[in-house]
Amino acid sequence: MQRLHVMLKVADLETSKQFYSTLFAAQPTVEKTDYAKWMLDDPRVNFSIAQTASDHGVEHLGIQAESRDELAALRERIARIDGTVRDEGETVCCYAESDKTWVTDAQGVSWETFYTHGASEVYGKRDTDCCDSSCCEDEAEVA
């Protein structure tokens, strides 16, 4: 079963964590100094926030696969739609090791399709082949 993914950029992580913890009636499943994530079952969503200096709001949307086979099926669907597609492949992003493909719709909304297969001690890294999301900010060590 796939899970909807929503990533927001926020100005104040602590205030936002309090807001979303109350809204979801749940504490984050992952908490870092600059990032928090809720893996919710009701509604079934991977909801994450990352503290950034600017450009606050919706960072991107996505669909998280629970297996490599589900990701392959998502990639097959993406290949049939009209949009800008970029296969990122294996990467480290948002404190996780994942395999990703990105597609951008006609309005410029970025959709991430991914399968996460491990945790990372770093948020991500800046790379010219990387996504346009906040996952690509300079590598940061966990505090």
Side-chain angles (χ1 to χ4, degrees):
M1 179 183 302
Q2 298 162 12
R3 181 183 301 262
L4 182 66
H5 170 57
V6 177
M7 169 59 148
L8 298 182
K9 292 183 190 178
V10 300
D12 184 317
L13 190 72
E14 288 305 315
T15 300
S16 295
K17 280 193 325 190
Q18 290 174 4
F19 177 89
Y20 289 110
S21 292
T22 302
L23 180 67
F24 299 143
Q27 293 301 308
T29 53
V30 175
E31 290 188 73
K32 304 293 182 179
T33 59
D34 58 349
Y35 177 83
K37 175 173 71 177
W38 291 258
M39 293 291 283
L40 303 170
D41 289 323
D42 186 18
R44 189 161 169 77
V45 64
N46 168 345
F47 183 88
S48 59
I49 59 177
Q51 185 167 304
T52 61
S54 62
D55 297 328
H56 304 122
V58 175
E59 160 56 36
H60 64 267
L61 302 172
I63 301 173
Q64 181 176 3
E66 289 188 354
S67 69
R68 291 191 186 277
D69 289 342
E70 278 190 0
L71 182 60
L74 285 166
R75 285 178 167 148
E76 287 176 16
R77 293 195 327 238
I78 288 171
R80 295 191 308 262
I81 61 176
D82 185 24
T84 303
V85 177
R86 192 179 54 73
D87 184 20
E88 188 174 357
E90 293 294 329
T91 190
V92 171
C93 181
C94 300
Y95 299 100
E97 295 176 4
S98 301
D99 185 3
K100 298 183 180 196
T101 296
W102 292 83
V103 61
T104 304
D105 75 8
Q107 289 70 236
V109 176
S110 294
W111 281 84
E112 170 189 35
T113 58
F114 64 103
Y115 168 66
T116 297
H117 50 79
S120 172
E121 291 299 314
V122 295
Y123 185 79
K125 61 184 178 179
R126 171 98 35 221
D127 184 338
T128 56
D129 294 329
C130 190
C131 60
D132 292 330
S133 80
S134 61
C135 294
C136 301
E137 293 180 4
D138 293 333
E139 196 167 285
E141 294 296 325
V142 174

